[in-house]
Amino acid sequence: MLRVFFAAVIAVALGLAALSAPAAQAQVMVPQAQGDMALDHMRQATSAAERVTAILIQTVNDPGYSSARDAEQLSVAIAALRPKLAAGRNEIQQISAELAALPTISSPSDPPEIRMVDQIVTDISAFTLRIDGFLEVIEDLGDALLANDMARGQQLAMSLMKGSVAVVEGQSLMLRARLPMMPSDSSGFAQVSTLACFYDGFAALQEGAFDLVKRTEAGAAMAAASACMTEGVASGRLAVEREAVAPMTEPVLAQIRDGLAPQHRIMFTTLESGVSILDEARASLLAGASTESLLVTYGDRTTAFEQRFQLLVSQEVEIVARQGR
């Protein structure tokens, strides 16, 4: 008996808002048991990535920790965070163990939509371990500051910079976790994969700004991310025009299709603006701009970019809801 493993068009932005649009759908036929496992593994992996990222963000946004301006303030803040750090690490380690226990569901001969599920579980499992390591560094930093070991404290501060990069990488990872659920030639696939490439580029910017890698190396990674976005925007625009004329079996579906098409065109124009952000940030990085200048200037521009994207996703959801009434 076969189960249909559906791939729906989904647009994902910050906050993990999702839209299932009927304008283009694909389906992959797999054995029912395998399809059921794939869907279950995707749910577990996605839930794990979201929860681990939430624990991390709650930690770094703690008012005392985020506002600390010297070693003494930071020491006090980390001491206050100890219970939260311990609880968070315990939960993350449990999540990691649960992901590690998931059996492999695919073989090399299976469709890519199924094989990618195993890869995503592996990637997110590795991500959980990186975040656990980041929280451990905060605990160790607290110990070093309490012992007045400034040399050790500086080493650990470098590790915290790496943790900041992990947060951005987590955004990319969670976006890509949705790709197996979409047809690879759809506008939704292009939207999500292009946004994931943007986060790859911003993570590389942070690595270069923090001197975690050579600036030339970070610049090369940013150039690759920019090229990835450019390719995604081009393929997405072609997909939008195909979907705009796709025949629909029901009038309401045609209305939704017609409402979404102009929104999707705007979406790719917005994504294209992300290419400019990466290109200009790369030029500044290679020109020797300071860490603070890079992170403030392009952090602010990235926030504005994300807000525009989020608004468009919300508008798309409203179009589907309004036409479906």
Side-chain angles (χ1 to χ4, degrees):
M1 188 175 187
L2 294 177
R3 176 198 173 99
V4 177
F5 186 53
F6 286 100
V9 176
I10 303 175
V12 183
L14 292 185
L16 304 172
L19 165 67
S20 295
Q25 291 188 349
Q27 54 190 33
V28 177
M29 302 299 293
V30 298
Q32 182 167 352
Q34 186 183 35
D36 288 342
M37 288 181 68
L39 291 171
D40 181 64
H41 286 199
M42 283 298 303
R43 291 189 187 102
Q44 290 191 58
T46 300
S47 176
E50 292 172 0
R51 180 56 190 151
V52 170
T53 299
I55 291 171
L56 175 62
I57 292 174
Q58 288 167 7
T59 301
V60 299
N61 286 344
D62 175 83
Y65 178 81
S66 61
S67 64
R69 291 294 178 265
D70 56 40
E72 182 178 355
Q73 290 179 2
L74 189 56
S75 180
V76 171
I78 294 175
L81 271 175
R82 289 283 185 177
K84 185 184 292 186
L85 285 168
R89 291 194 65 201
N90 285 337
E91 184 176 354
I92 289 173
Q93 289 165 11
Q94 180 179 351
I95 290 171
S96 179
E98 291 170 355
L99 290 177
L102 293 177
T104 300
I105 64 170
S106 67
S107 67
S109 62
D110 283 321
E113 291 85 352
I114 297 297
R115 286 186 279 113
M116 197 180 297
V117 172
D118 282 331
Q119 185 60 54
I120 285 170
V121 170
T122 298
D123 290 345
I124 292 179
S125 181
F127 173 67
T128 65
L129 293 176
R130 289 201 304 272
I131 300 307
D132 180 54
F134 175 71
L135 298 184
E136 183 180 20
V137 170
I138 295 179
E139 291 180 328
D140 291 344
L141 179 58
D143 293 339
L145 293 173
L146 193 62
N148 201 32
D149 187 346
M150 293 299 105
R152 176 64 175 155
Q154 289 178 352
Q155 292 176 345
L156 292 167
M158 179 64 68
S159 295
L160 289 182
M161 293 178 189
K162 295 179 181 178
S164 177
V165 176
V167 174
V168 180
E169 290 175 338
Q171 292 284 6
S172 176
L173 192 60
M174 285 188 290
L175 288 162
R176 288 196 169 95
R178 284 145 177 79
L179 293 178
M181 308 301 288
M182 296 176 253
S184 59
D185 62 347
S186 69
S187 62
F189 187 101
Q191 287 172 9
V192 174
S193 58
T194 302
L195 188 59
C197 291
F198 176 82
Y199 284 118
D200 290 340
F202 193 76
L205 171 64
Q206 285 191 314
E207 288 183 313
F210 289 143
D211 293 325
L212 299 176
V213 301
K214 293 181 179 179
R215 290 197 170 199
T216 51
E217 181 180 341
M222 292 177 71
S226 178
C228 175
M229 288 190 73
T230 299
E231 181 179 353
V233 168
S235 64
R237 282 173 166 157
L238 291 175
V240 168
E241 300 312 316
R242 288 196 304 270
E243 293 163 6
V245 295
M248 294 289 115
T249 58
E250 299 291 339
V252 66
L253 297 183
Q255 291 171 357
I256 292 173
R257 175 203 62 196
D258 294 343
L260 288 176
Q263 284 294 113
H264 288 169
R265 294 184 184 108
I266 297 171
M267 181 75 76
F268 285 103
T269 298
T270 300
L271 287 168
E272 192 171 42
S273 72
V275 178
S276 298
I277 294 174
L278 289 185
D279 287 346
E280 291 173 27
R282 176 175 176 269
S284 296
L285 177 74
L286 296 178
S290 69
T291 298
E292 182 178 4
S293 173
L294 288 167
L295 297 182
V296 170
T297 300
Y298 297 103
D300 287 348
R301 289 185 62 182
T302 293
T303 297
F305 167 78
E306 292 168 340
Q307 289 172 337
R308 289 196 302 273
F309 199 91
Q310 181 73 70
L311 176 61
L312 287 168
V313 171
S314 298
Q315 291 171 344
E316 289 182 342
V317 173
E318 177 58 26
I319 288 170
V320 175
R322 183 172 61 251
Q323 298 295 346
R325 291 191 183 106

